[in-house]
Structures are given as structure tokens and as C-alpha cells.
Amino acid sequence: MSEYRKAIIIGGGPAGLSTALRLQQTTNIKCHIYELRSKPTTLGGAIGIMPNGLRLFSRLGVYEALHARGSSRSKLVVHSVQGRIVGEQPDLVGYARTHTGFGYLRIKRTDLVDVLLDAVYKAQIPISFNKRLTAIDDNGGSGVTVTFSDGSVVKADMLIACDGIHSCVRRLYVDPGQRPEYSGLSGLSSLVPASKLSFSPAVHVSGIDVTLTEKGMVMTMLATAAGDEVAWGLSQEVPLPDARDSRDGWEVYQQKDVNEFKWNMHQILEKVHGDWGDLLRELLDKTDVMKFYPIYRLPLGGAWYKGRCVLLGDAAHAMQPHAGQGVSMALEDTFLLARLLQDPNRPLVEVYKKFDEVRRPRVDEMYNLAARNAGVRKTTGPWGLWSKEIMYGMAFWASWALGLEKWGWGEKHLAYDIDAEEI
């Protein structure tokens, strides 16, 4: 078999950038990244990265740069609407930290992309922007050819799709029948500068502060290492919006729209009492821009590869964000694929088949976990909210009284190492 010399990577987000870096580190494959947008950009907001993902970022060589930008606080506090604390966990990832050496990181999406882009540029991996894919011609043994809307044509040995849940590669070629479905939940989020607040977020925000309400879950976290920006978000059950581009969400800038979202949020927060309720309302009042995004997922069971094309990350198995595993799942895909491609004589069909075989059980497990975690975010009444608070309180007590954290209760999936899989 001929060596795999060139790979086309579609998508310049975290998955595509990480894939190019890992392939250059461990294989003889030369990558070129093609990104739809005209410049490096991503919708605002902050994401959480768990230990299994941080360990892989360390192996990628970017962990220190990421850690310098994000907040590593991992204390979990659950608040009730009455103003009391339902339960606390000193370290959300204590078991996984012990077994991996890595904890938790909350980082702005823009910072994550900046760090990865800087690494890609330093590695001299080419990236082209404003490239809209229009056609894929899989020529079997002679490679794969792609055509872009600007008329340019590129040929390579393989095509790796890292272009997200609405993947053009999946739609055009790999699995056109696999369509995203609305989860029934949507998110509203924003970042607020600490300088605008009357309180010190570094003092009052524990790490991950969760507030249970009848209309969903409110989360509050520091988004930077310096603690100078606070991220807040609401996950709630709502009908699928029928306005604008609800598929991808949108930034809300216009004052009329911002005020409307604020009014709705105030209706939710008016029942949250005590100092914590006052803090949440101030965060809301000092918010200028919001991001609204309907949460989509891909049904399980779709095809992940065809011919010389393979899907990674959300392009293959987008799940709800309620397990904090989106970026980490893409990284695990990347590391496994790179290992399988190290042998240039291994047939590509065998590589992709093994990739599918190894990844399916893990992806299904995380997909189902995220779906279960979504339940607490659904709309309920006063009694339903009370039962949720009781459930959380009992879980915290049991974890403390029985020492369940030491045994990895609820955390073993965070200590998973994709590089330990036999291939």
C-alpha cells in the first residue's frame, strides 16, 4: 500500500485544529485545513473541559497555554430558590484528578481557538479560510477530490470532516440521511466583565454554581484564570424557535431583543431568594450581549465513514452538552485516528472500520449520560423542583457519608484514556 501523504481537513474549529496537530506529531501525513468562515471566529461563551480532555490537550502540547487562560476552579455548589445550599462537592473531578493528574477547566471558546490556532501556525500547518465545500469525488484507490465554491479543486489521500453537527461532508457524501434533531432544550448565556459588578466574582463564585428553578437550570462560573469575566447560562425546555437561523443560534445585540430576554430571565429569577438571588439578578442586569442557541444532537447509529472520508467530533456524534464532553469526545476521536494512521501500510478501510468499532461504545455511553443529565433542566412545578432538590441533597450526602467519590462514583468516565485502547 502507498503511504498516506496528504489529508484534507474540513473545519477550522477545535476538532479540526487538534486533528491537524496530532497527525503532524505522530504520522507522516501532511494536513491542510479548510474553514468555511472568512476568519478565525466562534460564537461567544465559555465551555468546560473535563480531565479526559485536558490530558489529551497536554499530550498535544497546549495544556499550559490553555490553563493560563481558563479558570480551573472545580468546586460544585447547588443552590435552591429559597437561598439555601442544597449540597457542595469540594472537587467535581477529584477521583479523575487523582487518576489522570488533570482537573477541570472553564475557558472561553475564543481563547481555546486562539491557543490551538497559534499552535497550528507555529507548526506551519496551512489553513485556508472562506472555503465553502460544494462537491466530493471519492476516487477510491487514487484518492479523494473536493471542490469549493470559489472554483478551487484539491486532491488528497483522505478527507477528515471536523465541520460540526451540520457537517457538509456528512450531508454531501458520508450519510445524507442523518439529520440533526432538536433536543427540546435551548440555552441562553453570556459573559460579564467583573469590573461591571459590585461584588467580587473571585470571592462569591465558588467554581461551578448551579441554581435549580422551575424553568430550568442556571449555571454561574468564572471564565478566565484572572477571574475578570463571569460566565452564566440558562438551560431550559422550550419549543423549537421558528425565527432567524435557529439551527445554529445567534448573538443578541439589539437592545430591544436583549431587554426581552432579560425580562424573561427576571421572571425565572424572581423566585430565587437571598444574597445568591441578588447576585444572579445583578449579573443579568449587567449583561449587554447574549447568545441564544437551540440544542441539537445527532441520533445514534449513523455512518461515520465512507470510502476515503471519515467524520470526527460533532460531525459524527453530536450530543447534548450536559456531560461536558463535546470537545473531549472530538479529542478522543483525533487521538485514536492518529494512532490507527501511524502505519502507512494499513488499508484505509481497515483504519476507519477499527475506528468505528473502538469508538461506538464510548460515544454511546457519553451520549446517553448527557441525555440523562438533561432531565434536571426540564420545566417542572413547585413539587417537582422540591423533589429535584431532595434528590441532589441525598446524592451529596451519600457521596460524603459512604465515601463514594473515592471509588469513582459518577467520575470513572472522566479518567478514561483513549490511548489505552487496543488497536
Side-chain angles (χ1 to χ4, degrees):
M1 292 291 294
S2 60
E3 294 184 355
Y4 308 130
R5 296 293 185 182
K6 185 177 180 182
I8 295 168
I9 295 179
I10 302 296
L17 298 171
S18 298
T19 298
L21 286 168
R22 191 58 179 174
L23 288 176
Q24 177 160 301
Q25 286 178 348
T26 61
T27 75
N28 63 350
I29 298 169
K30 295 183 179 180
C31 300
H32 193 129
I33 304 168
Y34 297 90
E35 165 58 35
L36 172 66
R37 295 179 175 88
S38 59
K39 60 182 180 180
T41 184
T42 181
L43 285 175
I47 60 173
I49 307 175
M50 294 295 185
N52 56 309
L54 292 178
R55 174 160 56 182
L56 298 182
F57 274 130
S58 178
R59 292 172 185 169
L60 206 59
V62 298
Y63 172 75
E64 295 300 331
L66 293 175
H67 188 267
R69 297 203 188 195
S71 172
S72 57
R73 293 191 180 191
S74 58
K75 182 179 180 180
L76 172 65
V77 179
V78 178
H79 302 261
S80 75
V81 293
Q82 291 80 21
R84 64 182 179 87
I85 293 178
V86 175
E88 298 182 48
Q89 188 172 345
D91 188 355
L92 175 68
V93 295
Y95 172 87
R97 187 192 300 275
T98 299
H99 287 78
T100 67
F102 296 92
Y104 173 82
L105 189 70
R106 174 68 55 170
I107 187 169
K108 294 192 295 182
R109 290 177 184 271
T110 50
D111 283 344
L112 173 60
V113 171
D114 282 348
V115 167
L116 290 172
L117 269 173
D118 183 58
V120 163
Y121 289 141
K122 287 180 179 178
Q124 298 184 336
I125 298 172
I127 178 168
S128 299
F129 295 96
N130 203 25
K131 289 290 187 177
R132 180 181 296 275
L133 183 65
T134 58
I136 299 171
D137 185 10
D138 196 327
N139 306 309
S142 61
V144 58
T145 302
V146 300
T147 303
F148 296 101
S149 60
D150 60 6
S152 59
V153 178
V154 182
K155 184 177 180 180
D157 298 291
M158 68 190 74
L159 188 156
I160 303 173
C162 302
D163 51 344
I165 185 172
H166 304 292
S167 170
C168 186
V169 175
R170 187 185 67 243
R171 187 176 67 251
L172 286 178
Y173 180 66
V174 175
D175 192 358
Q178 180 76 316
R179 302 293 179 86
E181 62 182 17
Y182 180 52
S183 68
L185 297 169
S186 288
L188 186 67
S189 66
S190 188
L191 292 166
V192 180
S195 60
K196 298 178 63 175
L197 303 170
S198 65
F199 62 90
S200 170
V203 174
H204 292 86
V205 178
S206 304
I208 305 172
D209 286 275
V210 172
T211 308
L212 302 175
T213 77
E214 294 179 23
K215 299 295 184 181
M217 174 186 287
V218 180
M219 298 181 68
T220 310
M221 302 137 293
L222 298 182
T224 62
D228 55 357
E229 287 189 76
V230 185
W232 68 260
L234 167 70
S235 296
Q236 63 177 154
E237 189 176 22
V238 297
L240 178 62
D242 57 3
R244 310 187 195 184
D245 182 10
S246 61
R247 187 186 73 173
D248 293 316
W250 58 85
E251 299 277 7
V252 181
Y253 289 97
Q254 295 185 7
Q255 193 61 49
K256 178 181 178 182
D257 292 335
V258 170
N259 288 341
E260 182 178 345
F261 276 109
K262 281 187 176 182
W263 186 88
N264 290 330
M265 275 290 293
H266 270 297
Q267 302 307 302
I268 295 172
L269 296 179
E270 69 177 357
K271 294 184 178 181
V272 183
H273 303 295
D275 293 340
W276 184 250
D278 293 338
L279 181 149
L280 292 179
R281 282 183 283 272
E282 182 177 350
L283 266 177
L284 178 61
D285 289 337
K286 297 299 173 64
T287 296
D288 296 323
V289 178
M290 298 184 189
K291 178 189 175 187
F292 176 80
Y293 54 100
I295 298 170
Y296 283 80
R297 62 190 178 194
L298 285 176
L300 292 174
W304 292 355
Y305 67 93
K306 181 179 179 181
R308 290 184 168 270
C309 302
V310 64
L311 310 175
L312 300 189
D314 282 353
H317 46 68
M319 59 189 69
Q320 294 166 235
H322 308 125
Q325 284 293 315
V327 170
S328 297
M329 286 294 100
L331 280 172
E332 290 180 6
D333 286 355
T334 289
F335 273 67
L336 177 60
L337 183 64
R339 284 177 64 205
L340 290 166
L341 288 170
Q342 283 179 344
D343 180 1
N345 294 313
R346 194 170 191 173
L348 200 56
V349 63
E350 181 183 313
V351 167
Y352 290 168
K353 183 178 180 181
K354 190 65 177 180
F355 172 84
D356 192 297
E357 175 187 317
V358 172
R359 288 300 288 153
R360 288 278 177 181
R362 169 71 171 172
V363 166
D364 288 356
E365 177 190 3
M366 294 300 98
Y367 185 101
N368 291 325
L369 174 63
R372 290 195 300 272
N373 288 348
V376 74
R377 294 160 168 82
K378 294 184 177 179
T379 302
T380 188
W383 285 105
L385 178 60
W386 177 80
S387 67
K388 288 179 183 178
E389 293 176 353
I390 293 296
M391 177 188 69
Y392 264 92
M394 291 179 63
F396 279 112
W397 178 86
S399 179
W400 169 80
L402 303 177
L404 297 179
E405 291 180 26
K406 297 179 181 179
W407 299 98
W409 183 58
E411 283 190 56
K412 287 188 176 180
H413 65 282
L414 302 179
Y416 172 87
D417 187 354
I418 187 64
D419 283 343
E421 291 281 4
E422 293 186 6
I423 60 172

